[in-house]
């Protein structure tokens, strides 16, 4: 079996992208799964953006120890670690920027920790698309 996953695009514009991520785990969990693939998006210049900036995250993580979001690079760059229930608005500080380390794609990856059957997450992410 595998975790039951869903990804719902809430908004897809030339400057912003919002997605809702859902998981009901069978205990398998996820490791480095691409949740936002920047090559599939269209940025302000009309082509794929070069990086993402996380502006807002709202989450409800139950049963997992945590859910980790990373920017995909040769050595992934940690964006945020989520647990419990919360909301973070990073717009006042310019957002959580991808440090754009060498290699990789800059996609947003997700990994769960402490996988148990019945664990769930419901995460809403708003990102700004940068050229």
């Amino acid at each position: 079996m595998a975790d039951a996953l869903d990804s719902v695009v809430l908004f897809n514009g030339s400057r912003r992208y919002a997605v809702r991520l859902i998981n009901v785990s069978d205990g398998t969990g996820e490791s480095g799964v691409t949740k936002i693939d920047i090559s599939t998006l269209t940025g302000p210049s009309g082509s794929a953006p070069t990086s993402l900036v996380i502006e807002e995250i709202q989450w409800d993580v139950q049963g997992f120890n945590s859910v980790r979001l990373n920017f995909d690079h040769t050595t992934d760059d940690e964006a945020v670690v989520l647990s419990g229930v919360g909301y973070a608005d990073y717009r006042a500080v310019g957002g959580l920027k991808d440090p754009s380390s060498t290699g990789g794609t800059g996609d947003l990856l997700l990994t769960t920790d402490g996988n148990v059957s019945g664990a769930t997450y419901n995460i809403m992410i708003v990102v700004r698309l940068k050229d």
Side-chain angles (χ1 to χ4, degrees):
M1 293 194 60
D3 287 8
L5 306 171
D6 196 11
S7 178
V8 179
V9 175
L10 303 172
F11 182 78
N12 187 0
S14 65
R15 298 195 184 278
R16 301 261 181 317
Y17 179 81
V19 64
R20 180 177 172 223
L21 309 172
I22 303 164
N23 177 318
V24 177
S25 184
D26 68 351
T28 304
E30 297 177 77
S31 180
V33 176
T34 301
K35 295 300 181 174
I36 300 179
D37 180 346
I38 66 174
S39 70
T40 65
L41 303 175
T42 302
S45 68
S47 59
T50 57
S51 66
L52 304 173
V53 177
I54 299 172
E55 292 193 329
E56 295 177 77
I57 304 176
Q58 184 173 351
W59 67 93
D60 184 350
V61 176
Q62 302 298 320
F64 293 109
N65 292 336
S66 64
V67 172
R68 182 178 309 274
L69 296 173
N70 291 322
F71 293 107
D72 178 35
H73 294 290
T74 302
T75 300
D76 294 340
D77 292 312
E78 183 175 283
V80 66
V81 178
L82 309 171
S83 64
V85 178
Y87 171 77
D89 184 343
Y90 301 104
R91 291 175 293 182
V93 295
L96 291 179
K97 296 177 181 150
D98 177 357
S100 299
S101 299
T102 59
T105 62
D107 293 343
L108 196 62
L109 309 178
L110 184 145
T111 298
T112 56
D113 177 53
N115 307 315
V116 296
S117 182
T120 63
Y121 68 67
N122 185 344
I123 303 168
M124 188 270 304
I125 304 170
V126 177
V127 296
R128 184 172 69 246
L129 310 176
K130 291 187 66 177
D131 283 338

